[in-house]
Amino acid sequence: MNTQITATPKLFIGIDIHKRSWKIHCSTDLFSGKSFSMAPDPELLRKYVDKHFAGHEVNVVYEAGCCGYHAHRCFEGYGWRSMVVNPADVHRKGRELH
């Protein structure tokens, strides 16, 4: 019996964007995720995704803030779904509220 992939695997990326670094959290529809920090460069994130998550449908979300929409435009240009959200709408654990 041959098994066939019937759905495109999905990658979900949450980003805490700052001028000097980004904190990235990646999850797929199959595993809960990995967090890491990186330089604030959309192209570096694209290279990471291409290397580790080739063939995945990519969804990115980050909070609107002082860094503008450059990253959003880059992500959309890569063919990724990107959302910039209101910081007040992002769920935080109790210890992250301050």
Side-chain angles (χ1 to χ4, degrees):
M1 179 173 153
N2 288 336
T3 58
Q4 295 179 343
I5 296 175
T6 58
T8 303
K10 293 172 181 50
L11 173 65
F12 304 96
I13 303 173
I15 310 174
D16 189 5
I17 289 187
H18 296 283
K19 278 185 172 182
R20 296 181 186 202
S21 69
W22 291 354
K23 185 171 182 185
I24 309 290
H25 183 79
C26 297
S27 294
T28 70
D29 43 357
L30 299 177
F31 77 95
S32 63
K34 174 184 177 182
S35 295
F36 59 94
S37 293
M38 63 176 285
D41 183 354
E43 186 62 23
L44 290 176
L45 182 57
R46 186 191 63 80
K47 288 177 183 177
Y48 176 84
V49 169
D50 287 348
K51 180 178 179 181
H52 298 283
F53 298 99
H56 282 67
E57 175 186 301
V58 182
N59 300 275
V60 180
V61 65
Y62 69 90
E63 296 176 347
C66 65
C67 297
Y69 295 92
H70 171 73
H72 169 73
R73 288 188 291 273
C74 289
F75 300 150
E76 291 278 320
Y78 303 152
W80 300 355
R81 298 172 102 188
S82 178
M83 291 177 42
V84 181
V85 298
N86 176 4
D89 293 337
V90 177
H91 173 73
R92 300 193 193 298
K93 296 177 186 171
R95 67 178 185 268
E96 296 174 343
L97 291 175
H98 304 290

